[in-house]
Amino acid sequence: MNIIELKNIYFEYEEGEPVLNGLDLSLGAGECLLVLGDNGSGKTTLFRVLNGLSFPSKGEYLFKGVAITADYLKDNSQTKRFHKDIGYLFQNTDTMLFNSRVYDEVAFGPRQMGLTDSEVDQRVMDCLRLFDIEALKEKVPYHLSGGQKKMVALASIMALSPEVLVLDEPFAGLDQKREASLLEFLAELKAAGKTLIIATHKEEMFKDLVDKVIRL
Amino acid sequence: MLPEWMTKTEDYAPPKDGGAFYRKTLKSLGGIMKRLKVEGGKEGRFSLPAWLKIILLLGLIILVSVVQDRLIIMACGALVLVRLAMMPAGDIWGVLKTTIFAGVFCAVLVTPAVIMDPARLSNSLRLVLKVMICVTAVGEFNRTTQWNHVTGALRKFHVPGVIIFIMDITFRYIVLLGKLMEELLTAVELRSVGRNDKKYASVGGIMGVTFLRGSEMNKEMYEAMQCRGFTDDYEGL
């Protein structure tokens, strides 16, 4: 079964031309989709639709076979399950960090999941280790560098163990070492059956990872 | 190497949490942000200079506030209404919406005083009327004066450049801070997958980050303006 299905999706803002014009897309578990396009072509809009933050003016968005609509997301419990299943890394990770310590930032999601303290701690430390940011755990996220913030934001999403990961320009602001380790992490994630949706201008970096490409 | 829990598919049932807290906050914030947008007023060919409009507006507000004579208040109200009638229909409705809101708000505030002492009804109605006249006059000024002319007029009144700068930036870019807050709230919402026992701590964090980012943006913008020749002087605008 497809995890994500977009059927004839249209989206337009109040002012201006439509940004999504009859988009069709289907993605299964373990697939990687690359979203390409110039600035302002609608990549972030598509990601907002995928995350249930905006709703298409026409067409249907199915997540695990369920239509994601404003009505569906009115139910608090369904919304929370949906957000647990799909993780979204913003293009500007500055606006994703709001806690006073990196540890608390990563623990924010797991603490709400009904896990025990030791399970939460296990998840947080695993994520910090995974992104090589253990040394930052007592630091204030706001004062970190751009690349470090990106890693903390990613760790805080992965602590929820989403099935689908939506990444908006994940390599922007990263040095080569972090780029390589992030690429390796994404390959492992794909191998584990997680679905990846990535907007990037660095198409060539994903040539071994990508299954589908759309250009907006 | 991925930890084992990350490779498994979790059958997750979210614990119950009271209310759609973030959703409501986001919604109300969006509404406020729309109203905070500083729109450029449209000035007609025979529009008075901004400095004169400021003097007239302040004079009207002071007059309406201090005067007790019903006739003078009515005259001021009529003057404001005549000015309003000369504006385009869309602007009239825009001004009236704010006036009605302010009038109702004021009426609600004075209602307990009227209930306790019905003799105060006349004074209370006068107060509501005064508020509505002042709010209408400010609305008219806002819709018929360009913001850069206002800052230019303030410079004519010898208001220090730094004060105009702070005011200008605050009004113009408060919408950016609103958007930043909205994005932070969205991030919180996306990661609020269960029961959040520390909602107010999250809101506090958002406020803190918004404040820090706001002061940083202000500094960056000032430096960028200096690089482009800004000398704290608004006279030429």
Side-chain angles (χ1 to χ4, degrees):
Chain A
M1 188 182 78
N2 286 322
I3 286 205
I4 284 179
E5 260 187 281
L6 297 179
K7 295 178 182 172
N8 198 27
I9 292 285
Y10 283 82
F11 187 96
E12 64 263 343
Y13 289 100
E14 276 174 30
E15 66 282 351
E17 297 279 299
V19 279
L20 300 176
N21 273 308
L23 181 67
D24 287 299
L25 175 72
S26 61
L27 270 181
E31 285 195 302
C32 176
L33 169 76
L34 226 50
V35 183
L36 307 174
D38 299 334
N39 295 334
S41 59
K43 298 190 292 287
T44 302
T45 304
L46 171 64
F47 286 1
R48 285 185 64 83
V49 170
L50 288 172
N51 281 278
L53 299 171
S54 299
F55 301 97
S57 50
K58 211 172 120 190
E60 196 177 27
Y61 167 32
L62 302 176
F63 186 84
K64 289 178 160 179
V66 177
I68 302 300
T69 60
D71 274 346
Y72 177 79
L73 293 181
K74 269 181 191 161
D75 185 312
N76 226 10
S77 165
Q78 284 167 344
T79 306
K80 286 173 192 291
R81 198 176 301 122
F82 172 65
H83 289 322
K84 153 78 179 71
D85 282 343
I86 183 162
Y88 180 21
L89 183 78
F90 293 3
Q91 189 171 10
N92 177 12
T93 39
D94 252 4
T95 56
M96 291 185 69
L97 310 174
F98 49 87
N99 283 283
S100 53
R101 287 192 311 160
V102 166
Y103 184 94
D104 293 328
E105 195 69 60
V106 181
F108 180 81
R111 275 179 182 152
Q112 299 184 33
M113 291 170 64
L115 303 173
T116 63
D117 286 350
S118 64
E119 284 172 325
V120 170
D121 188 60
Q122 176 73 45
R123 280 197 181 214
V124 174
M125 293 315 294
D126 281 346
C127 287
L128 295 177
R129 218 170 289 128
L130 196 61
F131 295 102
D132 198 21
I133 48 172
E134 285 165 283
L136 306 176
K137 75 172 185 174
E138 294 300 326
K139 303 254 186 201
V140 182
Y142 185 81
H143 295 307
L144 301 178
S145 71
Q148 287 171 330
K149 280 181 185 171
K150 188 149 273 182
M151 291 297 118
V152 173
L154 203 47
S156 61
I157 294 167
M158 289 318 299
L160 296 169
S161 188
E163 286 180 46
V164 178
L165 193 54
V166 179
L167 307 170
D168 200 348
E169 300 289 353
F171 287 157
L174 294 188
D175 56 37
Q176 280 187 333
K177 190 181 153 208
R178 285 207 192 272
E179 274 184 2
S181 66
L182 180 56
L183 202 58
E184 195 181 319
F185 162 72
L186 292 175
E188 284 183 48
L189 217 51
K190 182 176 168 359
K194 307 282 181 179
T195 306
L196 305 174
I197 303 173
I198 304 165
T200 185
H201 292 293
K202 297 184 173 180
E203 191 181 350
E204 70 289 352
M205 292 196 72
F206 295 92
K207 61 180 188 298
D208 298 330
L209 205 65
V210 65
D211 299 299
K212 292 178 179 173
V213 178
I214 55 167
R215 190 175 289 275
L216 295 175
Chain B
M1 173 104 179
L2 297 180
E4 201 191 335
W5 57 265
M6 206 181 273
T7 60
K8 288 179 182 167
T9 302
E10 291 174 324
D11 188 18
Y12 177 65
K16 281 198 171 165
D17 193 17
F21 174 76
Y22 298 114
R23 214 165 263 275
K24 282 180 189 167
T25 314
L26 264 176
K27 207 176 166 186
S28 58
L29 188 73
I32 293 166
M33 267 174 53
K34 274 181 198 164
R35 282 183 217 120
L36 284 179
K37 261 187 195 170
V38 177
E39 290 164 15
K42 286 165 271 181
E43 291 183 2
R45 196 189 297 172
F46 303 109
S47 184
L48 295 172
W51 62 269
L52 187 56
K53 283 189 200 170
I54 292 174
I55 291 173
L56 289 174
L57 176 69
L58 289 177
L60 181 83
I61 290 173
I62 292 167
L63 180 68
V64 170
S65 305
V66 297
V67 82
Q68 292 301 319
D69 191 324
R70 208 175 292 170
L71 204 67
I72 297 177
I73 296 171
M74 291 300 217
C76 290
L79 208 66
V80 167
L81 279 178
V82 167
R83 178 71 190 92
L84 187 65
M86 291 157 71
M87 290 166 65
D91 285 349
I92 292 176
W93 178 232
V95 172
L96 280 182
K97 268 197 291 190
T98 320
T99 304
I100 293 165
F101 175 77
V104 171
F105 186 70
C106 184
V108 169
L109 286 184
V110 298
T111 301
V114 176
I115 292 169
M116 281 192 280
D117 183 6
R120 289 183 180 169
L121 179 65
S122 165
N123 279 341
S124 300
L125 284 176
R126 193 178 300 156
L127 181 67
V128 173
L129 188 64
K130 283 180 173 191
V131 167
M132 289 175 81
I133 291 171
C134 292
V135 170
T136 310
V138 172
E140 287 170 5
F141 174 81
N142 192 29
R143 282 173 185 268
T144 56
T145 315
Q146 283 179 14
W147 182 248
N148 56 336
H149 290 171
V150 177
T151 51
L154 290 176
R155 200 72 184 104
K156 272 201 173 76
F157 296 142
H158 299 287
V159 176
V162 67
I163 292 177
I164 302 174
F165 172 74
I166 291 168
M167 201 180 79
D168 194 17
I169 296 302
T170 306
F171 279 121
R172 274 179 196 271
Y173 295 100
I174 205 161
V175 66
L176 288 184
L177 289 184
K179 278 183 182 166
L180 173 70
M181 264 182 85
E182 193 183 38
E183 281 192 30
L184 282 162
L185 278 161
T186 305
V188 174
E189 191 191 12
L190 290 178
R191 278 158 56 204
S192 296
V193 296
R195 184 183 170 82
N196 184 1
D197 293 326
K198 294 178 179 172
K199 289 186 176 76
Y200 293 106
S202 308
V203 174
I206 289 168
M207 294 295 190
V209 171
T210 308
F211 174 74
L212 287 170
R213 190 75 193 107
S215 58
E216 205 173 272
M217 275 162 71
N218 191 21
K219 190 172 162 243
E220 284 170 359
M221 192 182 301
Y222 183 62
E223 285 169 356
M225 286 169 76
Q226 279 189 319
C227 289
R228 284 151 62 193
F230 176 64
T231 56
D232 291 358
D233 193 357
Y234 274 78
E235 210 154 8
L237 290 177

